[in-house]
Amino acid sequence: MLLLVPVEVVVELGRTKMVLRDLASLDTDDVVELDQPMDKPLDVVVGGKLIARGELVMVAERMALRITELVASSGKST
């Protein structure tokens, strides 16, 4: 039964820190630079825990994620 419980899956593109003034002044077409290089794998996070890494791919007209690495519960790669 636990395998049927819905969970939120987050694919993290990157992070940045901004002061509230800059965040409040964002407008359409503004660019926010992230701390992650384009070629670095993206983190897949469930329940606040890293479970996998992957890369962006296109499937038909939609963006998708190809899993490239599973991460053990200890936080070390498998």
Coordinates of all heavy atoms in Angstrom, one line a residue:
M1 N 0.8 -1.2 0.0 CA 0.0 0.0 0.0 C 0.9 1.3 0.0 O 0.5 2.3 -0.6 CB -0.9 0.0 1.2 CG -2.0 -1.0 1.1 SD -3.1 -0.8 -0.3 CE -4.3 0.3 0.4
L2 N 2.0 1.2 0.7 CA 2.9 2.4 0.7 C 3.3 2.9 -0.7 O 3.5 4.1 -0.9 CB 4.1 2.2 1.6 CG 3.8 2.2 3.1 CD1 5.1 1.9 3.9 CD2 3.2 3.5 3.6
L3 N 3.4 1.9 -1.6 CA 3.9 2.3 -2.9 C 2.9 3.1 -3.7 O 3.2 3.7 -4.7 CB 4.3 1.0 -3.7 CG 5.5 0.2 -3.1 CD1 5.7 -1.0 -4.0 CD2 6.7 1.1 -3.1
L4 N 1.7 3.2 -3.2 CA 0.6 4.0 -3.9 C 0.4 5.4 -3.3 O -0.4 6.1 -3.7 CB -0.7 3.2 -3.8 CG -0.7 1.8 -4.5 CD1 -2.1 1.1 -4.3 CD2 -0.4 2.0 -6.0
V5 N 1.2 5.7 -2.2 CA 1.1 7.0 -1.6 C 1.8 8.1 -2.5 O 2.9 7.9 -2.9 CB 1.8 7.0 -0.2 CG1 1.8 8.4 0.4 CG2 1.1 6.0 0.7
P6 N 1.0 9.1 -2.9 CA 1.6 10.2 -3.7 C 2.7 11.0 -2.9 O 2.5 11.2 -1.7 CB 0.4 11.1 -4.1 CG -0.8 10.5 -3.4 CD -0.4 9.3 -2.6
V7 N 3.8 11.3 -3.6 CA 4.8 12.1 -3.0 C 5.2 13.3 -4.0 O 5.0 13.1 -5.2 CB 6.1 11.3 -2.7 CG1 5.8 10.3 -1.6 CG2 6.7 10.7 -3.9
E8 N 5.6 14.4 -3.5 CA 6.1 15.5 -4.3 C 7.5 15.2 -4.7 O 8.4 15.0 -3.9 CB 5.9 16.8 -3.6 CG 6.4 18.0 -4.5 CD 6.1 19.3 -3.8 OE1 5.5 19.3 -2.7 OE2 6.6 20.3 -4.3
V9 N 7.8 15.3 -6.0 CA 9.2 15.1 -6.5 C 9.6 16.5 -7.0 O 8.9 17.1 -7.8 CB 9.2 14.1 -7.7 CG1 10.6 14.0 -8.3 CG2 8.7 12.7 -7.2
V10 N 10.8 16.9 -6.6 CA 11.3 18.2 -6.9 C 12.6 18.0 -7.7 O 13.5 17.2 -7.3 CB 11.7 19.1 -5.7 CG1 12.3 20.4 -6.1 CG2 10.4 19.3 -4.9
V11 N 12.7 18.6 -8.9 CA 13.9 18.6 -9.7 C 14.5 20.0 -9.6 O 13.9 20.9 -10.1 CB 13.6 18.2 -11.2 CG1 14.9 18.2 -12.0 CG2 13.0 16.8 -11.3
E12 N 15.7 20.1 -9.0 CA 16.2 21.4 -8.7 C 17.2 21.8 -9.8 O 18.2 21.1 -10.0 CB 17.0 21.3 -7.3 CG 17.4 22.6 -6.9 CD 17.9 22.6 -5.4 OE1 17.0 22.5 -4.5 OE2 19.1 22.6 -5.2
L13 N 16.9 22.9 -10.4 CA 17.8 23.4 -11.5 C 19.0 24.2 -10.9 O 20.0 24.2 -11.5 CB 17.0 24.4 -12.4 CG 15.9 23.8 -13.2 CD1 15.1 24.9 -13.9 CD2 16.4 22.8 -14.2
G14 N 18.8 24.8 -9.7 CA 19.9 25.5 -9.1 C 19.3 26.4 -8.1 O 18.1 26.5 -7.9
R15 N 20.2 27.2 -7.4 CA 19.8 28.1 -6.3 C 20.6 29.4 -6.5 O 21.6 29.4 -7.1 CB 20.1 27.5 -5.0 CG 19.3 26.3 -4.7 CD 19.6 25.7 -3.3 NE 18.9 24.5 -3.0 CZ 18.3 24.2 -1.9 NH1 18.5 25.0 -0.8 NH2 17.6 23.1 -1.7
T16 N 20.0 30.4 -5.9 CA 20.7 31.7 -5.8 C 20.2 32.4 -4.5 O 19.2 32.1 -4.0 CB 20.5 32.5 -7.0 OG1 21.5 33.6 -7.0 CG2 19.1 33.1 -7.1
K17 N 21.0 33.4 -4.0 CA 20.5 34.2 -2.9 C 20.3 35.6 -3.5 O 21.1 36.1 -4.3 CB 21.6 34.2 -1.8 CG 21.6 32.9 -1.1 CD 22.5 33.1 0.2 CE 22.5 31.8 0.9 NZ 23.2 31.8 2.2
M18 N 19.2 36.2 -3.1 CA 18.9 37.6 -3.5 C 18.4 38.4 -2.3 O 17.8 37.8 -1.4 CB 17.8 37.6 -4.5 CG 18.1 36.8 -5.8 SD 16.6 36.7 -6.9 CE 16.7 38.4 -7.6
V19 N 18.6 39.7 -2.3 CA 18.0 40.5 -1.3 C 16.6 40.7 -1.7 O 16.2 40.7 -2.8 CB 18.8 41.8 -1.1 CG1 20.2 41.6 -0.6 CG2 18.8 42.7 -2.3
L20 N 15.7 40.9 -0.7 CA 14.3 41.1 -0.9 C 14.0 42.2 -1.9 O 13.1 42.0 -2.7 CB 13.6 41.3 0.5 CG 12.1 41.2 0.5 CD1 11.6 39.8 -0.1 CD2 11.6 41.3 1.9
R21 N 14.7 43.3 -1.8 CA 14.5 44.4 -2.8 C 14.6 43.9 -4.2 O 13.8 44.2 -5.1 CB 15.5 45.5 -2.5 CG 15.4 46.7 -3.4 CD 16.4 47.8 -3.2 NE 17.8 47.2 -3.1 CZ 18.6 47.3 -2.1 NH1 18.2 47.9 -1.0 NH2 19.8 46.8 -2.1
D22 N 15.7 43.1 -4.5 CA 15.9 42.6 -5.9 C 14.8 41.6 -6.3 O 14.3 41.6 -7.4 CB 17.3 42.0 -6.0 CG 18.4 43.0 -5.8 OD1 18.1 44.2 -6.0 OD2 19.5 42.6 -5.6
L23 N 14.4 40.8 -5.3 CA 13.4 39.8 -5.6 C 12.0 40.5 -5.9 O 11.3 40.2 -6.9 CB 13.2 38.9 -4.4 CG 12.2 37.8 -4.5 CD1 12.6 36.8 -5.6 CD2 12.0 37.0 -3.2
A24 N 11.7 41.5 -5.2 CA 10.5 42.3 -5.3 C 10.5 43.1 -6.7 O 9.4 43.3 -7.2 CB 10.2 43.2 -4.2
S25 N 11.6 43.4 -7.2 CA 11.7 44.2 -8.4 C 11.7 43.3 -9.7 O 11.8 43.9 -10.8 CB 12.9 45.2 -8.4 OG 14.1 44.4 -8.5
L26 N 11.7 42.0 -9.5 CA 11.7 41.1 -10.7 C 10.5 41.4 -11.6 O 9.4 41.7 -11.2 CB 11.7 39.7 -10.3 CG 13.0 39.1 -9.8 CD1 12.8 37.7 -9.3 CD2 14.2 39.2 -10.7
D27 N 10.8 41.4 -12.9 CA 9.7 41.6 -13.9 C 9.8 40.6 -15.0 O 10.8 39.9 -15.1 CB 9.9 43.0 -14.5 CG 8.6 43.6 -15.1 OD1 7.6 42.9 -15.1 OD2 8.6 44.7 -15.5
T28 N 8.8 40.6 -15.9 CA 8.8 39.7 -17.0 C 10.1 39.9 -17.9 O 10.5 41.0 -18.1 CB 7.6 40.0 -17.9 OG1 6.4 39.8 -17.1 CG2 7.5 39.0 -19.1
D29 N 10.7 38.8 -18.3 CA 11.9 38.8 -19.1 C 13.2 39.0 -18.3 O 14.3 39.0 -18.9 CB 11.8 39.7 -20.3 CG 10.8 39.3 -21.3 OD1 10.6 38.0 -21.5 OD2 10.2 40.1 -22.0
D30 N 13.1 39.3 -17.0 CA 14.3 39.4 -16.2 C 15.0 38.0 -16.1 O 14.3 37.0 -16.3 CB 14.0 39.9 -14.8 CG 13.7 41.3 -14.7 OD1 14.0 42.0 -15.7 OD2 13.3 41.8 -13.7
V31 N 16.3 38.0 -16.0 CA 17.0 36.7 -15.9 C 17.6 36.6 -14.5 O 18.3 37.6 -14.0 CB 18.2 36.7 -17.0 CG1 19.0 35.5 -16.8 CG2 17.6 36.7 -18.4
V32 N 17.4 35.5 -13.9 CA 18.0 35.2 -12.5 C 19.1 34.1 -12.7 O 18.8 33.0 -13.1 CB 16.9 34.7 -11.5 CG1 17.6 34.4 -10.2 CG2 15.9 35.8 -11.4
E33 N 20.3 34.5 -12.5 CA 21.4 33.5 -12.6 C 21.4 32.5 -11.4 O 21.2 33.0 -10.3 CB 22.8 34.2 -12.7 CG 22.9 35.0 -14.0 CD 24.3 35.5 -14.2 OE1 25.3 34.8 -13.9 OE2 24.5 36.7 -14.6
L34 N 21.6 31.3 -11.8 CA 21.7 30.2 -10.7 C 23.1 29.8 -10.5 O 24.0 30.0 -11.3 CB 20.8 29.0 -11.2 CG 19.3 29.4 -11.5 CD1 18.6 28.1 -12.0 CD2 18.7 29.9 -10.3
D35 N 23.3 29.1 -9.4 CA 24.7 28.7 -9.0 C 25.2 27.4 -9.7 O 26.3 27.0 -9.5 CB 24.8 28.5 -7.5 CG 23.9 27.4 -7.0 OD1 23.1 26.9 -7.8 OD2 23.9 27.1 -5.8
Q36 N 24.4 26.8 -10.5 CA 24.7 25.5 -11.1 C 25.1 25.7 -12.6 O 24.3 26.3 -13.4 CB 23.5 24.6 -11.0 CG 23.8 23.2 -11.5 CD 22.8 22.2 -10.9 OE1 22.7 22.2 -9.7 NE2 22.2 21.4 -11.7
P37 N 26.2 25.1 -13.0 CA 26.5 25.1 -14.5 C 25.5 24.3 -15.3 O 24.9 23.4 -14.8 CB 27.9 24.5 -14.5 CG 28.4 24.3 -13.1 CD 27.2 24.4 -12.2
M38 N 25.4 24.7 -16.6 CA 24.5 24.0 -17.5 C 24.7 22.5 -17.6 O 23.8 21.7 -17.8 CB 24.5 24.6 -18.9 CG 24.0 26.1 -18.9 SD 22.2 26.1 -18.9 CE 21.8 25.4 -20.5
D39 N 26.0 22.1 -17.5 CA 26.3 20.7 -17.8 C 26.3 19.8 -16.5 O 26.5 18.6 -16.6 CB 27.6 20.6 -18.5 CG 28.8 21.2 -17.7 OD1 28.5 21.9 -16.7 OD2 29.9 20.9 -18.1
K40 N 26.0 20.4 -15.4 CA 25.9 19.6 -14.1 C 24.6 18.9 -14.0 O 23.5 19.4 -14.3 CB 26.1 20.5 -12.9 CG 26.2 19.8 -11.6 CD 26.5 20.7 -10.5 CE 26.5 19.9 -9.2 NZ 26.0 20.6 -8.0
P41 N 24.6 17.6 -13.5 CA 23.3 16.9 -13.4 C 22.4 17.6 -12.4 O 22.9 18.3 -11.4 CB 23.8 15.5 -12.8 CG 25.2 15.4 -13.2 CD 25.8 16.8 -13.2
L42 N 21.1 17.4 -12.6 CA 20.1 18.0 -11.7 C 19.8 17.1 -10.6 O 19.7 15.9 -10.8 CB 18.9 18.3 -12.5 CG 19.1 19.2 -13.8 CD1 17.8 19.4 -14.5 CD2 19.6 20.6 -13.4
D43 N 19.5 17.7 -9.4 CA 19.2 16.9 -8.2 C 17.7 16.5 -8.2 O 16.8 17.4 -8.5 CB 19.5 17.6 -7.0 CG 21.0 17.7 -6.7 OD1 21.8 17.0 -7.4 OD2 21.4 18.6 -5.9
V44 N 17.3 15.3 -7.9 CA 15.9 14.9 -7.7 C 15.7 14.7 -6.2 O 16.4 13.9 -5.6 CB 15.6 13.6 -8.5 CG1 14.2 13.2 -8.3 CG2 16.0 13.7 -10.0
V45 N 14.8 15.5 -5.6 CA 14.6 15.5 -4.2 C 13.2 15.1 -3.9 O 12.2 15.6 -4.5 CB 14.9 16.9 -3.7 CG1 14.7 17.0 -2.2 CG2 16.3 17.4 -4.0
V46 N 13.1 14.1 -2.9 CA 11.8 13.7 -2.4 C 11.8 13.8 -0.9 O 12.7 13.3 -0.3 CB 11.4 12.3 -2.9 CG1 10.1 11.8 -2.2 CG2 11.3 12.2 -4.4
G47 N 10.8 14.5 -0.3 CA 10.8 14.6 1.1 C 12.0 15.3 1.7 O 12.5 15.0 2.8
G48 N 12.6 16.2 0.9 CA 13.8 16.9 1.4 C 15.1 16.1 1.3 O 16.1 16.6 1.7
K49 N 15.0 14.9 0.7 CA 16.2 14.1 0.6 C 16.5 13.8 -0.9 O 15.7 13.5 -1.7 CB 15.9 12.7 1.3 CG 15.6 12.8 2.8 CD 16.1 11.6 3.5 CE 15.8 11.7 5.0 NZ 16.6 12.5 5.7
L50 N 17.8 13.9 -1.2 CA 18.3 13.7 -2.5 C 18.2 12.2 -2.8 O 18.7 11.4 -2.0 CB 19.8 14.1 -2.6 CG 20.5 13.8 -3.9 CD1 19.9 14.6 -5.0 CD2 22.0 14.1 -3.8
I51 N 17.5 11.8 -3.9 CA 17.4 10.4 -4.2 C 18.0 10.0 -5.5 O 18.3 8.9 -5.8 CB 15.9 9.9 -4.2 CG1 15.1 10.7 -5.3 CG2 15.2 10.1 -2.9 CD1 13.9 10.0 -5.7
A52 N 18.2 11.0 -6.4 CA 18.8 10.7 -7.7 C 19.3 12.0 -8.4 O 19.1 13.1 -7.9 CB 17.7 10.1 -8.6
R53 N 20.0 11.8 -9.5 CA 20.4 12.9 -10.3 C 20.1 12.6 -11.8 O 20.0 11.4 -12.1 CB 21.9 13.1 -10.2 CG 22.3 13.7 -8.8 CD 23.8 14.1 -8.7 NE 24.1 14.7 -7.4 CZ 24.5 14.0 -6.4 NH1 24.7 12.7 -6.5 NH2 24.7 14.6 -5.2
G54 N 19.9 13.6 -12.6 CA 19.6 13.3 -13.9 C 19.9 14.5 -14.8 O 20.4 15.5 -14.4
E55 N 19.4 14.4 -16.1 CA 19.7 15.4 -17.1 C 18.4 15.7 -17.8 O 17.5 14.8 -18.0 CB 20.8 15.0 -18.1 CG 20.4 13.7 -18.9 CD 21.5 13.2 -19.7 OE1 22.7 13.6 -19.6 OE2 21.2 12.3 -20.5
L56 N 18.2 17.0 -18.3 CA 17.1 17.4 -19.0 C 17.1 16.8 -20.4 O 18.1 16.8 -21.1 CB 17.0 18.9 -19.1 CG 16.6 19.6 -17.8 CD1 16.6 21.1 -18.1 CD2 15.3 19.2 -17.2
V57 N 15.9 16.3 -20.8 CA 15.7 15.8 -22.2 C 14.4 16.3 -22.7 O 13.5 16.7 -21.9 CB 15.8 14.3 -22.3 CG1 17.2 13.8 -21.9 CG2 14.8 13.6 -21.4
M58 N 14.2 16.3 -24.0 CA 12.9 16.6 -24.6 C 12.2 15.3 -25.0 O 12.8 14.4 -25.6 CB 13.0 17.5 -25.8 CG 13.6 18.9 -25.5 SD 12.5 19.9 -24.5 CE 11.1 20.1 -25.6
V59 N 10.9 15.2 -24.6 CA 10.0 14.1 -25.0 C 8.9 14.7 -25.7 O 8.0 15.4 -25.1 CB 9.6 13.2 -23.8 CG1 8.6 12.1 -24.2 CG2 10.8 12.6 -23.1
A60 N 8.8 14.5 -27.0 CA 7.8 15.2 -27.9 C 8.0 16.7 -27.6 O 9.1 17.2 -27.9 CB 6.4 14.7 -27.5
E61 N 7.0 17.4 -27.2 CA 7.1 18.8 -27.0 C 7.3 19.2 -25.5 O 7.1 20.3 -25.1 CB 5.9 19.5 -27.5 CG 5.7 19.4 -29.0 CD 6.9 20.1 -29.8 OE1 7.2 21.2 -29.4 OE2 7.4 19.5 -30.7
R62 N 7.6 18.2 -24.7 CA 7.7 18.4 -23.2 C 9.1 18.2 -22.7 O 9.8 17.4 -23.2 CB 6.7 17.5 -22.5 CG 5.3 17.8 -22.9 CD 4.3 17.1 -22.1 NE 4.2 17.8 -20.8 CZ 3.2 17.8 -20.1 NH1 2.2 17.0 -20.4 NH2 3.1 18.4 -19.0
M63 N 9.4 18.9 -21.6 CA 10.7 18.7 -21.0 C 10.5 17.5 -20.0 O 9.5 17.3 -19.4 CB 11.0 20.0 -20.2 CG 12.5 20.1 -19.7 SD 12.9 21.6 -18.8 CE 12.1 22.8 -19.7
A64 N 11.6 16.7 -19.9 CA 11.6 15.6 -19.1 C 12.9 15.4 -18.4 O 13.9 16.1 -18.7 CB 11.2 14.3 -19.9
L65 N 13.0 14.4 -17.5 CA 14.3 14.2 -16.8 C 14.7 12.7 -17.0 O 13.9 11.8 -16.8 CB 14.2 14.5 -15.3 CG 15.4 14.3 -14.5 CD1 16.3 15.5 -14.7 CD2 15.1 14.0 -13.1
R66 N 15.9 12.5 -17.5 CA 16.5 11.2 -17.6 C 17.3 10.9 -16.4 O 18.3 11.7 -16.1 CB 17.3 11.0 -18.9 CG 18.1 9.7 -18.9 CD 19.0 9.6 -20.1 NE 18.2 9.6 -21.4 CZ 18.5 10.5 -22.4 NH1 19.5 11.3 -22.3 NH2 17.8 10.5 -23.5
I67 N 17.0 9.9 -15.6 CA 17.8 9.6 -14.4 C 19.1 9.0 -14.8 O 19.2 8.1 -15.6 CB 17.0 8.6 -13.5 CG1 15.7 9.1 -13.1 CG2 17.9 8.2 -12.3 CD1 15.7 10.4 -12.3
T68 N 20.2 9.6 -14.3 CA 21.6 9.2 -14.7 C 22.3 8.5 -13.5 O 23.3 7.9 -13.7 CB 22.4 10.3 -15.2 OG1 22.4 11.4 -14.2 CG2 21.8 10.9 -16.5
E69 N 21.7 8.8 -12.3 CA 22.4 8.3 -11.1 C 21.4 8.2 -9.9 O 20.6 9.0 -9.7 CB 23.5 9.3 -10.7 CG 24.2 8.9 -9.4 CD 25.2 10.0 -9.0 OE1 25.3 11.0 -9.7 OE2 25.9 9.8 -8.0
L70 N 21.4 7.0 -9.3 CA 20.6 6.9 -8.0 C 21.5 7.1 -6.9 O 22.7 6.7 -6.9 CB 20.0 5.5 -8.0 CG 19.0 5.1 -9.1 CD1 18.5 3.7 -9.0 CD2 17.8 6.1 -9.0
V71 N 21.0 7.7 -5.8 CA 21.8 8.1 -4.6 C 21.3 7.2 -3.5 O 20.1 7.1 -3.2 CB 21.7 9.6 -4.3 CG1 22.5 9.9 -3.1 CG2 22.1 10.4 -5.5
A72 N 22.3 6.5 -2.8 CA 22.0 5.7 -1.7 C 21.4 6.5 -0.5 O 21.7 7.7 -0.4 CB 23.2 4.9 -1.2
S73 N 20.7 5.9 0.4 CA 20.1 6.6 1.5 C 21.2 7.3 2.4 O 20.9 8.2 3.1 CB 19.2 5.7 2.3 OG 20.0 4.6 2.8
S74 N 22.4 6.8 2.4 CA 23.5 7.4 3.2 C 24.0 8.7 2.6 O 24.8 9.4 3.1 CB 24.6 6.4 3.3 OG 25.2 6.2 2.0
G75 N 23.5 9.0 1.3 CA 24.0 10.2 0.6 C 25.1 9.9 -0.3 O 25.5 10.8 -1.0
K76 N 25.6 8.7 -0.3 CA 26.7 8.4 -1.3 C 26.1 7.8 -2.5 O 25.1 7.1 -2.6 CB 27.6 7.3 -0.6 CG 28.3 7.8 0.6 CD 29.2 6.8 1.2 CE 29.9 7.3 2.4 NZ 30.7 6.3 3.1
S77 N 26.8 8.1 -3.7 CA 26.3 7.6 -5.0 C 26.4 6.1 -5.1 O 27.3 5.5 -4.5 CB 27.1 8.2 -6.1 OG 27.0 9.6 -6.0
T78 N 25.5 5.5 -5.9 CA 25.6 4.1 -6.2 C 26.0 3.8 -7.6 O 25.9 4.6 -8.4 CB 24.2 3.4 -5.9 OG1 23.2 4.1 -6.8 CG2 23.7 3.5 -4.5

